[in-house]
């Protein structure tokens, strides 16, 4: 039986492997810049998972805020990579609402 900590660390390990794979794909096709952006977003989400794992071991309000900010930032980077892939030029449509949501989460927590 797996416990919660093991599942979080397994998710972090698999996310790291996926990010390294995406980086290797980008090295073979550097013109596809969105693949590098996806890899960076996944690495930010891996950092979130590791910080959340650390938060479950010893809760700390600052650690909680950092983990929440990394979660929003990771999904924002993945959203920006989708916008890169689709050729959507206006990144402000995704960045501004995310920054507002991050500020609200920081104020509430």
């Amino acid at each position: 039986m797996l416990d919660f900590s093991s599942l979080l660390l397994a998710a972090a390990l698999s996310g790291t492997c996926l990010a390294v794979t995406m980086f290797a794909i980008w090295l073979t096709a550097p013109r596809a810049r969105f693949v590098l952006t996806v890899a960076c977003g996944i690495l930010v989400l891996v950092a979130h998972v590791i910080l959340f794992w650390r938060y479950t071991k010893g809760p700390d309000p600052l650690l909680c805020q950092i983990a929440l900010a990394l979660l929003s930032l990771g999904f924002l980077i993945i959203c920006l990579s989708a916008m890169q892939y689709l050729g959507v030029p206006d990144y402000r449509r995704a960045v501004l609402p995310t920054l507002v949501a991050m500020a609200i989460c920081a104020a509430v927590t």
Side-chain angles (χ1 to χ4, degrees):
M1 201 75 177
L2 290 176
D3 61 341
F4 188 64
S5 294
S6 299
L7 290 174
L8 284 173
L9 291 177
L13 178 64
S14 65
T16 303
C17 292
L18 180 61
V20 168
T21 302
M22 297 293 279
F23 182 71
I25 290 171
W26 174 75
L27 285 176
T28 61
R31 290 183 60 195
R33 291 189 330 237
F34 71 94
V35 176
L36 180 62
T37 310
V38 171
C40 292
I42 291 171
L43 285 177
V44 171
L45 290 176
V46 166
H48 158 75
V49 169
I50 292 170
L51 281 179
F52 186 71
W53 169 75
R54 179 68 184 102
Y55 176 75
T56 61
K57 297 293 182 187
D60 179 26
L62 180 62
L63 196 58
C64 175
Q65 288 184 351
I66 294 170
L68 283 173
L70 284 176
L71 180 65
S72 298
L73 185 64
F75 283 123
L76 171 65
I77 293 171
I78 290 175
C79 178
L80 292 177
S81 71
M83 292 173 80
Q84 267 184 325
Y85 177 74
L86 296 173
V88 178
D90 188 20
Y91 294 142
R92 288 179 297 171
R93 292 184 353 192
V95 173
L96 290 178
T98 302
L99 292 178
V100 169
M102 288 170 70
I104 291 171
C105 283
V108 170
T109 59

